[in-house]
mmCIF file of all heavy atoms in Angstrom:
data_model
loop_
_atom_site.group_PDB
_atom_site.id
_atom_site.type_symbol
_atom_site.label_atom_id
_atom_site.label_comp_id
_atom_site.label_asym_id
_atom_site.label_seq_id
_atom_site.Cartn_x
_atom_site.Cartn_y
_atom_site.Cartn_z
ATOM 1 N N THR N 1476 14.794 -16.148 15.691
ATOM 2 C CA THR N 1476 14.732 -16.844 14.397
ATOM 3 C C THR N 1476 14.090 -18.227 14.500
ATOM 4 O O THR N 1476 14.128 -18.993 13.553
ATOM 5 C CB THR N 1476 16.152 -16.990 13.815
ATOM 6 O OG1 THR N 1476 16.971 -17.733 14.739
ATOM 7 C CG2 THR N 1476 16.784 -15.630 13.578
ATOM 8 N N SER N 1477 13.490 -18.543 15.633
ATOM 9 C CA SER N 1477 12.951 -19.903 15.836
ATOM 10 C C SER N 1477 11.797 -20.199 14.871
ATOM 11 O O SER N 1477 11.638 -21.338 14.429
ATOM 12 C CB SER N 1477 12.486 -20.072 17.283
ATOM 13 O OG SER N 1477 11.505 -19.102 17.620
ATOM 14 N N SER N 1478 10.988 -19.208 14.576
ATOM 15 C CA SER N 1478 9.883 -19.387 13.610
ATOM 16 C C SER N 1478 9.875 -18.198 12.662
ATOM 17 O O SER N 1478 8.842 -17.539 12.471
ATOM 18 C CB SER N 1478 8.551 -19.524 14.340
ATOM 19 O OG SER N 1478 8.315 -18.400 15.171
ATOM 20 N N ILE N 1479 11.008 -17.948 12.064
ATOM 21 C CA ILE N 1479 11.204 -16.695 11.339
ATOM 22 C C ILE N 1479 10.354 -16.591 10.077
ATOM 23 O O ILE N 1479 9.811 -15.516 9.781
ATOM 24 C CB ILE N 1479 12.711 -16.521 11.005
ATOM 25 C CG1 ILE N 1479 12.958 -15.113 10.451
ATOM 26 C CG2 ILE N 1479 13.208 -17.584 10.062
ATOM 27 C CD1 ILE N 1479 14.431 -14.773 10.317
ATOM 28 N N ILE N 1480 10.186 -17.692 9.334
ATOM 29 C CA ILE N 1480 9.408 -17.601 8.089
ATOM 30 C C ILE N 1480 7.925 -17.356 8.369
ATOM 31 O O ILE N 1480 7.330 -16.443 7.774
ATOM 32 C CB ILE N 1480 9.632 -18.846 7.212
ATOM 33 C CG1 ILE N 1480 11.080 -18.880 6.703
ATOM 34 C CG2 ILE N 1480 8.653 -18.864 6.036
ATOM 35 C CD1 ILE N 1480 11.401 -20.062 5.803
ATOM 36 N N PRO N 1481 7.276 -18.129 9.261
ATOM 37 C CA PRO N 1481 5.875 -17.799 9.568
ATOM 38 C C PRO N 1481 5.707 -16.382 10.130
ATOM 39 O O PRO N 1481 4.733 -15.692 9.786
ATOM 40 C CB PRO N 1481 5.496 -18.851 10.621
ATOM 41 C CG PRO N 1481 6.425 -19.984 10.382
ATOM 42 C CD PRO N 1481 7.711 -19.354 9.944
ATOM 43 N N SER N 1482 6.650 -15.946 10.966
ATOM 44 C CA SER N 1482 6.570 -14.596 11.528
ATOM 45 C C SER N 1482 6.686 -13.548 10.429
ATOM 46 O O SER N 1482 5.968 -12.535 10.439
ATOM 47 C CB SER N 1482 7.677 -14.381 12.564
ATOM 48 O OG SER N 1482 7.483 -15.208 13.687
ATOM 49 N N PHE N 1483 7.587 -13.794 9.464
ATOM 50 C CA PHE N 1483 7.742 -12.823 8.382
ATOM 51 C C PHE N 1483 6.507 -12.776 7.504
ATOM 52 O O PHE N 1483 6.076 -11.684 7.092
ATOM 53 C CB PHE N 1483 8.963 -13.156 7.527
ATOM 54 C CG PHE N 1483 9.072 -12.269 6.310
ATOM 55 C CD1 PHE N 1483 9.511 -10.959 6.435
ATOM 56 C CD2 PHE N 1483 8.692 -12.731 5.053
ATOM 57 C CE1 PHE N 1483 9.587 -10.121 5.329
ATOM 58 C CE2 PHE N 1483 8.773 -11.903 3.942
ATOM 59 C CZ PHE N 1483 9.218 -10.593 4.084
ATOM 60 N N ILE N 1484 5.918 -13.936 7.204
ATOM 61 C CA ILE N 1484 4.716 -13.949 6.370
ATOM 62 C C ILE N 1484 3.602 -13.140 7.022
ATOM 63 O O ILE N 1484 2.930 -12.324 6.374
ATOM 64 C CB ILE N 1484 4.259 -15.397 6.106
ATOM 65 C CG1 ILE N 1484 5.287 -16.118 5.218
ATOM 66 C CG2 ILE N 1484 2.882 -15.416 5.438
ATOM 67 C CD1 ILE N 1484 5.016 -17.593 5.026
ATOM 68 N N LEU N 1485 3.429 -13.336 8.331
ATOM 69 C CA LEU N 1485 2.418 -12.581 9.058
ATOM 70 C C LEU N 1485 2.728 -11.081 9.040
ATOM 71 O O LEU N 1485 1.845 -10.248 8.800
ATOM 72 C CB LEU N 1485 2.338 -13.090 10.497
ATOM 73 C CG LEU N 1485 1.258 -12.457 11.388
ATOM 74 C CD1 LEU N 1485 -0.134 -12.736 10.811
ATOM 75 C CD2 LEU N 1485 1.347 -13.019 12.807
ATOM 76 N N TYR N 1486 3.998 -10.758 9.289
ATOM 77 C CA TYR N 1486 4.419 -9.355 9.273
ATOM 78 C C TYR N 1486 4.227 -8.735 7.895
ATOM 79 O O TYR N 1486 3.708 -7.617 7.772
ATOM 80 C CB TYR N 1486 5.891 -9.245 9.688
ATOM 81 C CG TYR N 1486 6.540 -7.938 9.297
ATOM 82 C CD1 TYR N 1486 6.293 -6.771 10.019
ATOM 83 C CD2 TYR N 1486 7.398 -7.861 8.195
ATOM 84 C CE1 TYR N 1486 6.875 -5.560 9.656
ATOM 85 C CE2 TYR N 1486 7.983 -6.659 7.823
ATOM 86 C CZ TYR N 1486 7.724 -5.513 8.555
ATOM 87 O OH TYR N 1486 8.300 -4.324 8.185
ATOM 88 N N PHE N 1487 4.623 -9.446 6.842
ATOM 89 C CA PHE N 1487 4.563 -8.881 5.498
ATOM 90 C C PHE N 1487 3.120 -8.644 5.058
ATOM 91 O O PHE N 1487 2.829 -7.636 4.378
ATOM 92 C CB PHE N 1487 5.269 -9.798 4.502
ATOM 93 C CG PHE N 1487 5.410 -9.196 3.127
ATOM 94 C CD1 PHE N 1487 6.394 -8.253 2.867
ATOM 95 C CD2 PHE N 1487 4.553 -9.555 2.101
ATOM 96 C CE1 PHE N 1487 6.525 -7.675 1.614
ATOM 97 C CE2 PHE N 1487 4.681 -8.989 0.842
ATOM 98 C CZ PHE N 1487 5.671 -8.045 0.603
ATOM 99 N N LEU N 1488 2.208 -9.530 5.443
ATOM 100 C CA LEU N 1488 0.799 -9.307 5.106
ATOM 101 C C LEU N 1488 0.283 -8.036 5.783
ATOM 102 O O LEU N 1488 -0.458 -7.249 5.175
ATOM 103 C CB LEU N 1488 -0.039 -10.518 5.535
ATOM 104 C CG LEU N 1488 0.167 -11.798 4.711
ATOM 105 C CD1 LEU N 1488 -0.609 -12.951 5.323
ATOM 106 C CD2 LEU N 1488 -0.254 -11.592 3.264
ATOM 107 N N GLY N 1489 0.697 -7.842 7.038
ATOM 108 C CA GLY N 1489 0.324 -6.614 7.727
ATOM 109 C C GLY N 1489 0.950 -5.397 7.087
ATOM 110 O O GLY N 1489 0.297 -4.346 6.932
ATOM 111 N N PHE N 1490 2.210 -5.508 6.687
ATOM 112 C CA PHE N 1490 2.909 -4.408 6.028
ATOM 113 C C PHE N 1490 2.243 -4.073 4.704
ATOM 114 O O PHE N 1490 2.073 -2.894 4.351
ATOM 115 C CB PHE N 1490 4.374 -4.790 5.814
ATOM 116 C CG PHE N 1490 5.234 -3.689 5.258
ATOM 117 C CD1 PHE N 1490 5.813 -2.752 6.099
ATOM 118 C CD2 PHE N 1490 5.474 -3.588 3.891
ATOM 119 C CE1 PHE N 1490 6.603 -1.727 5.594
ATOM 120 C CE2 PHE N 1490 6.256 -2.571 3.377
ATOM 121 C CZ PHE N 1490 6.834 -1.640 4.239
ATOM 122 N N LEU N 1491 1.837 -5.102 3.976
ATOM 123 C CA LEU N 1491 1.141 -4.912 2.701
ATOM 124 C C LEU N 1491 -0.138 -4.091 2.904
ATOM 125 O O LEU N 1491 -0.410 -3.132 2.160
ATOM 126 C CB LEU N 1491 0.805 -6.281 2.101
ATOM 127 C CG LEU N 1491 0.045 -6.301 0.770
ATOM 128 C CD1 LEU N 1491 0.909 -5.747 -0.350
ATOM 129 C CD2 LEU N 1491 -0.391 -7.731 0.438
ATOM 130 N N GLY N 1492 -0.908 -4.444 3.941
ATOM 131 C CA GLY N 1492 -2.121 -3.698 4.217
ATOM 132 C C GLY N 1492 -1.841 -2.272 4.654
ATOM 133 O O GLY N 1492 -2.535 -1.333 4.247
ATOM 134 N N MET N 1493 -0.794 -2.090 5.463
ATOM 135 C CA MET N 1493 -0.434 -0.754 5.946
ATOM 136 C C MET N 1493 -0.034 0.165 4.803
ATOM 137 O O MET N 1493 -0.281 1.374 4.835
ATOM 138 C CB MET N 1493 0.721 -0.876 6.950
ATOM 139 C CG MET N 1493 1.172 0.416 7.598
ATOM 140 S SD MET N 1493 2.446 1.283 6.631
ATOM 141 C CE MET N 1493 3.809 0.114 6.711
ATOM 142 N N VAL N 1494 0.573 -0.382 3.760
ATOM 143 C CA VAL N 1494 1.009 0.406 2.611
ATOM 144 C C VAL N 1494 -0.138 0.660 1.632
ATOM 145 O O VAL N 1494 -0.331 1.781 1.149
ATOM 146 C CB VAL N 1494 2.175 -0.306 1.889
ATOM 147 C CG1 VAL N 1494 2.486 0.375 0.557
ATOM 148 C CG2 VAL N 1494 3.420 -0.328 2.773
ATOM 149 N N ILE N 1495 -0.940 -0.380 1.353
ATOM 150 C CA ILE N 1495 -1.931 -0.307 0.282
ATOM 151 C C ILE N 1495 -3.238 0.360 0.713
ATOM 152 O O ILE N 1495 -3.808 1.184 -0.024
ATOM 153 C CB ILE N 1495 -2.220 -1.717 -0.278
ATOM 154 C CG1 ILE N 1495 -0.948 -2.302 -0.904
ATOM 155 C CG2 ILE N 1495 -3.351 -1.663 -1.305
ATOM 156 C CD1 ILE N 1495 -0.398 -1.498 -2.060
ATOM 157 N N ILE N 1496 -3.733 0.033 1.908
ATOM 158 C CA ILE N 1496 -5.051 0.531 2.326
ATOM 159 C C ILE N 1496 -5.136 2.058 2.309
ATOM 160 O O ILE N 1496 -6.109 2.625 1.762
ATOM 161 C CB ILE N 1496 -5.433 -0.040 3.714
ATOM 162 C CG1 ILE N 1496 -5.712 -1.544 3.591
ATOM 163 C CG2 ILE N 1496 -6.650 0.686 4.288
ATOM 164 C CD1 ILE N 1496 -5.970 -2.238 4.916
ATOM 165 N N PRO N 1497 -4.144 2.799 2.872
ATOM 166 C CA PRO N 1497 -4.244 4.266 2.797
ATOM 167 C C PRO N 1497 -4.268 4.791 1.371
ATOM 168 O O PRO N 1497 -4.959 5.782 1.086
ATOM 169 C CB PRO N 1497 -2.989 4.735 3.548
ATOM 170 C CG PRO N 1497 -2.672 3.620 4.487
ATOM 171 C CD PRO N 1497 -3.016 2.375 3.720
ATOM 172 N N SER N 1498 -3.528 4.132 0.473
ATOM 173 C CA SER N 1498 -3.513 4.584 -0.915
ATOM 174 C C SER N 1498 -4.872 4.372 -1.582
ATOM 175 O O SER N 1498 -5.345 5.225 -2.347
ATOM 176 C CB SER N 1498 -2.423 3.843 -1.698
ATOM 177 O OG SER N 1498 -1.145 4.118 -1.173
ATOM 178 N N VAL N 1499 -5.518 3.234 -1.302
ATOM 179 C CA VAL N 1499 -6.832 2.948 -1.890
ATOM 180 C C VAL N 1499 -7.874 3.925 -1.349
ATOM 181 O O VAL N 1499 -8.653 4.531 -2.109
ATOM 182 C CB VAL N 1499 -7.242 1.492 -1.606
ATOM 183 C CG1 VAL N 1499 -8.692 1.252 -2.082
ATOM 184 C CG2 VAL N 1499 -6.284 0.526 -2.295
ATOM 185 N N VAL N 1500 -7.895 4.087 -0.011
ATOM 186 C CA VAL N 1500 -8.848 5.019 0.600
ATOM 187 C C VAL N 1500 -8.574 6.439 0.104
ATOM 188 O O VAL N 1500 -9.492 7.187 -0.249
ATOM 189 C CB VAL N 1500 -8.770 4.953 2.136
ATOM 190 C CG1 VAL N 1500 -9.649 6.036 2.761
ATOM 191 C CG2 VAL N 1500 -9.181 3.576 2.633
ATOM 192 N N GLY N 1501 -7.281 6.806 0.075
ATOM 193 C CA GLY N 1501 -6.913 8.137 -0.378
ATOM 194 C C GLY N 1501 -7.345 8.395 -1.801
ATOM 195 O O GLY N 1501 -7.812 9.504 -2.128
ATOM 196 N N TYR N 1502 -7.232 7.395 -2.660
ATOM 197 C CA TYR N 1502 -7.610 7.556 -4.063
ATOM 198 C C TYR N 1502 -9.073 7.962 -4.199
ATOM 199 O O TYR N 1502 -9.428 8.835 -5.017
ATOM 200 C CB TYR N 1502 -7.348 6.264 -4.830
ATOM 201 C CG TYR N 1502 -7.830 6.306 -6.264
ATOM 202 C CD1 TYR N 1502 -7.084 6.937 -7.250
ATOM 203 C CD2 TYR N 1502 -9.049 5.725 -6.616
ATOM 204 C CE1 TYR N 1502 -7.535 6.991 -8.560
ATOM 205 C CE2 TYR N 1502 -9.513 5.774 -7.921
ATOM 206 C CZ TYR N 1502 -8.740 6.409 -8.891
ATOM 207 O OH TYR N 1502 -9.197 6.461 -10.187
ATOM 208 N N PHE N 1503 -9.929 7.345 -3.401
ATOM 209 C CA PHE N 1503 -11.364 7.619 -3.526
ATOM 210 C C PHE N 1503 -11.797 8.880 -2.788
ATOM 211 O O PHE N 1503 -12.933 9.343 -2.967
ATOM 212 C CB PHE N 1503 -12.166 6.419 -3.015
ATOM 213 C CG PHE N 1503 -12.138 5.240 -3.945
ATOM 214 C CD1 PHE N 1503 -11.363 4.123 -3.651
ATOM 215 C CD2 PHE N 1503 -12.857 5.255 -5.128
ATOM 216 C CE1 PHE N 1503 -11.335 3.040 -4.510
ATOM 217 C CE2 PHE N 1503 -12.834 4.173 -6.002
ATOM 218 C CZ PHE N 1503 -12.056 3.059 -5.688
ATOM 219 N N MET N 1504 -10.893 9.458 -1.981
ATOM 220 C CA MET N 1504 -11.286 10.595 -1.149
ATOM 221 C C MET N 1504 -10.621 11.910 -1.549
ATOM 222 O O MET N 1504 -10.838 12.933 -0.897
ATOM 223 C CB MET N 1504 -10.981 10.303 0.327
ATOM 224 C CG MET N 1504 -11.743 9.114 0.891
ATOM 225 S SD MET N 1504 -13.552 9.262 0.749
ATOM 226 C CE MET N 1504 -13.848 10.660 1.828
ATOM 227 N N VAL N 1505 -9.807 11.903 -2.596
ATOM 228 C CA VAL N 1505 -9.175 13.147 -3.047
ATOM 229 C C VAL N 1505 -9.809 13.600 -4.352
ATOM 230 O O VAL N 1505 -10.615 12.878 -4.961
ATOM 231 C CB VAL N 1505 -7.648 12.959 -3.233
ATOM 232 C CG1 VAL N 1505 -6.980 12.641 -1.902
ATOM 233 C CG2 VAL N 1505 -7.347 11.863 -4.261
ATOM 234 N N ASN N 1506 -9.455 14.803 -4.801
ATOM 235 C CA ASN N 1506 -9.995 15.330 -6.055
ATOM 236 C C ASN N 1506 -9.363 14.620 -7.255
ATOM 237 O O ASN N 1506 -8.516 13.745 -7.095
ATOM 238 C CB ASN N 1506 -9.798 16.843 -6.143
ATOM 239 C CG ASN N 1506 -8.331 17.247 -6.009
ATOM 240 O OD1 ASN N 1506 -7.426 16.448 -6.250
ATOM 241 N ND2 ASN N 1506 -8.107 18.492 -5.620
ATOM 242 N N ASN N 1507 -9.777 14.998 -8.455
ATOM 243 C CA ASN N 1507 -9.295 14.320 -9.660
ATOM 244 C C ASN N 1507 -7.783 14.455 -9.827
ATOM 245 O O ASN N 1507 -7.107 13.529 -10.278
ATOM 246 C CB ASN N 1507 -10.009 14.866 -10.892
ATOM 247 C CG ASN N 1507 -11.466 14.445 -10.948
ATOM 248 O OD1 ASN N 1507 -11.838 13.406 -10.404
ATOM 249 N ND2 ASN N 1507 -12.309 15.262 -11.581
ATOM 250 N N GLU N 1508 -7.256 15.625 -9.481
ATOM 251 C CA GLU N 1508 -5.810 15.813 -9.536
ATOM 252 C C GLU N 1508 -5.113 14.844 -8.590
ATOM 253 O O GLU N 1508 -4.114 14.208 -8.945
ATOM 254 C CB GLU N 1508 -5.465 17.255 -9.162
ATOM 255 C CG GLU N 1508 -3.967 17.562 -9.203
ATOM 256 C CD GLU N 1508 -3.667 18.973 -8.712
ATOM 257 O OE1 GLU N 1508 -4.463 19.512 -7.911
ATOM 258 O OE2 GLU N 1508 -2.635 19.529 -9.112
ATOM 259 N N GLY N 1509 -5.641 14.699 -7.388
ATOM 260 C CA GLY N 1509 -5.068 13.782 -6.408
ATOM 261 C C GLY N 1509 -5.140 12.343 -6.864
ATOM 262 O O GLY N 1509 -4.215 11.557 -6.628
ATOM 263 N N LYS N 1510 -6.258 11.981 -7.506
ATOM 264 C CA LYS N 1510 -6.377 10.612 -8.024
ATOM 265 C C LYS N 1510 -5.255 10.308 -9.010
ATOM 266 O O LYS N 1510 -4.671 9.207 -9.006
ATOM 267 C CB LYS N 1510 -7.736 10.428 -8.703
ATOM 268 C CG LYS N 1510 -8.913 10.299 -7.753
ATOM 269 C CD LYS N 1510 -10.225 10.124 -8.512
ATOM 270 C CE LYS N 1510 -11.369 9.743 -7.603
ATOM 271 N NZ LYS N 1510 -11.635 10.707 -6.538
ATOM 272 N N ARG N 1511 -4.942 11.272 -9.849
ATOM 273 C CA ARG N 1511 -3.870 11.061 -10.831
ATOM 274 C C ARG N 1511 -2.524 10.900 -10.130
ATOM 275 O O ARG N 1511 -1.704 10.078 -10.525
ATOM 276 C CB ARG N 1511 -3.809 12.231 -11.808
ATOM 277 C CG ARG N 1511 -2.897 11.973 -12.992
ATOM 278 C CD ARG N 1511 -3.024 13.046 -14.055
ATOM 279 N NE ARG N 1511 -2.413 12.612 -15.295
ATOM 280 C CZ ARG N 1511 -2.338 13.356 -16.391
ATOM 281 N NH1 ARG N 1511 -2.865 14.577 -16.396
ATOM 282 N NH2 ARG N 1511 -1.764 12.890 -17.486
ATOM 283 N N TYR N 1512 -2.305 11.682 -9.075
ATOM 284 C CA TYR N 1512 -1.058 11.584 -8.313
ATOM 285 C C TYR N 1512 -0.917 10.210 -7.664
ATOM 286 O O TYR N 1512 0.162 9.599 -7.693
ATOM 287 C CB TYR N 1512 -1.003 12.665 -7.233
ATOM 288 C CG TYR N 1512 -0.850 14.072 -7.755
ATOM 289 C CD1 TYR N 1512 -1.202 15.158 -6.953
ATOM 290 C CD2 TYR N 1512 -0.386 14.334 -9.035
ATOM 291 C CE1 TYR N 1512 -1.074 16.466 -7.408
ATOM 292 C CE2 TYR N 1512 -0.256 15.638 -9.508
ATOM 293 C CZ TYR N 1512 -0.606 16.697 -8.687
ATOM 294 O OH TYR N 1512 -0.476 17.979 -9.147
ATOM 295 N N VAL N 1513 -2.003 9.730 -7.052
ATOM 296 C CA VAL N 1513 -1.947 8.433 -6.370
ATOM 297 C C VAL N 1513 -1.697 7.318 -7.371
ATOM 298 O O VAL N 1513 -0.849 6.439 -7.150
ATOM 299 C CB VAL N 1513 -3.247 8.179 -5.576
ATOM 300 C CG1 VAL N 1513 -3.257 6.753 -5.023
ATOM 301 C CG2 VAL N 1513 -3.375 9.187 -4.429
ATOM 302 N N LEU N 1514 -2.431 7.328 -8.496
ATOM 303 C CA LEU N 1514 -2.220 6.294 -9.520
ATOM 304 C C LEU N 1514 -0.791 6.326 -10.045
ATOM 305 O O LEU N 1514 -0.178 5.276 -10.293
ATOM 306 C CB LEU N 1514 -3.200 6.500 -10.676
ATOM 307 C CG LEU N 1514 -4.642 6.027 -10.461
ATOM 308 C CD1 LEU N 1514 -5.493 6.357 -11.686
ATOM 309 C CD2 LEU N 1514 -4.674 4.530 -10.176
ATOM 310 N N SER N 1515 -0.244 7.510 -10.213
ATOM 311 C CA SER N 1515 1.107 7.649 -10.743
ATOM 312 C C SER N 1515 2.158 7.135 -9.771
ATOM 313 O O SER N 1515 3.295 6.883 -10.162
ATOM 314 C CB SER N 1515 1.377 9.123 -11.066
ATOM 315 O OG SER N 1515 2.647 9.290 -11.650
ATOM 316 N N GLY N 1516 1.753 6.958 -8.494
ATOM 317 C CA GLY N 1516 2.716 6.509 -7.493
ATOM 318 C C GLY N 1516 2.622 5.050 -7.109
ATOM 319 O O GLY N 1516 3.436 4.562 -6.313
ATOM 320 N N LEU N 1517 1.660 4.325 -7.663
ATOM 321 C CA LEU N 1517 1.472 2.933 -7.257
ATOM 322 C C LEU N 1517 2.666 2.060 -7.609
ATOM 323 O O LEU N 1517 2.965 1.090 -6.903
ATOM 324 C CB LEU N 1517 0.197 2.373 -7.898
ATOM 325 C CG LEU N 1517 -1.121 2.983 -7.393
ATOM 326 C CD1 LEU N 1517 -2.305 2.324 -8.084
ATOM 327 C CD2 LEU N 1517 -1.238 2.847 -5.873
ATOM 328 N N TRP N 1518 3.367 2.395 -8.691
ATOM 329 C CA TRP N 1518 4.536 1.588 -9.064
ATOM 330 C C TRP N 1518 5.583 1.597 -7.959
ATOM 331 O O TRP N 1518 6.263 0.568 -7.736
ATOM 332 C CB TRP N 1518 5.162 2.100 -10.369
ATOM 333 C CG TRP N 1518 5.796 3.461 -10.245
ATOM 334 C CD1 TRP N 1518 5.215 4.659 -10.515
ATOM 335 C CD2 TRP N 1518 7.122 3.747 -9.778
ATOM 336 N NE1 TRP N 1518 6.087 5.685 -10.261
ATOM 337 C CE2 TRP N 1518 7.276 5.153 -9.810
ATOM 338 C CE3 TRP N 1518 8.198 2.976 -9.362
ATOM 339 C CZ2 TRP N 1518 8.446 5.793 -9.427
ATOM 340 C CZ3 TRP N 1518 9.378 3.601 -8.978
ATOM 341 C CH2 TRP N 1518 9.498 4.993 -9.010
ATOM 342 N N LEU N 1519 5.746 2.724 -7.251
ATOM 343 C CA LEU N 1519 6.746 2.801 -6.192
ATOM 344 C C LEU N 1519 6.388 1.874 -5.038
ATOM 345 O O LEU N 1519 7.268 1.209 -4.471
ATOM 346 C CB LEU N 1519 6.877 4.236 -5.690
ATOM 347 C CG LEU N 1519 7.886 4.441 -4.541
ATOM 348 C CD1 LEU N 1519 9.281 3.996 -4.954
ATOM 349 C CD2 LEU N 1519 7.894 5.889 -4.087
#
């Protein structure tokens, strides 16, 4: 916990990319039905 806030900020930015990037790439690489599924799941 010596530098917990800076460590968390760095971790969370990485976590954000790990969650969002596959969804963005997936959206552009699936069929129209898949695009609707991905968009419908972004709220989660």
